[in-house]
Amino acid sequence: FTVTNSAVSATSVILIEVSDYSGTYFTNGYPDVLITSVSAGSFAVKVVNVDATNALSGTMKIRFAVL
């Protein structure tokens, strides 16, 4: 998904993390987030499941900082 934010420039560094997950880690998958691209005014985020066996099952909150 894409996040739009006027503080983002093409050379910005984006720090991102899953700050809360309602599922039980590993039992209900293991969520992670990655930045796939950054451009002026926006960045793209990819949500992935690090667990090879169990599907994600829960809601998550994601937080980010623009440097």
Side-chain angles (χ1 to χ4, degrees):
F1 62 92
T2 300
V3 176
T4 56
N5 186 304
S6 61
V8 178
S9 72
T11 59
S12 292
V13 174
I14 312 297
L15 303 178
I16 193 165
E17 70 177 359
V18 176
S19 62
D20 186 40
Y21 178 52
S22 67
T24 302
Y25 283 96
F26 297 108
T27 301
N28 299 119
Y30 195 103
D32 199 6
V33 285
L34 310 167
I35 302 298
T36 58
S37 66
V38 178
S39 59
S42 67
F43 59 92
V45 178
K46 182 176 183 178
V47 177
V48 297
N49 182 9
V50 181
D51 190 301
T53 305
N54 299 307
L56 292 175
S57 179
T59 58
M60 67 184 83
K61 292 182 182 178
I62 299 170
R63 62 181 170 189
F64 68 90
V66 178
L67 305 178

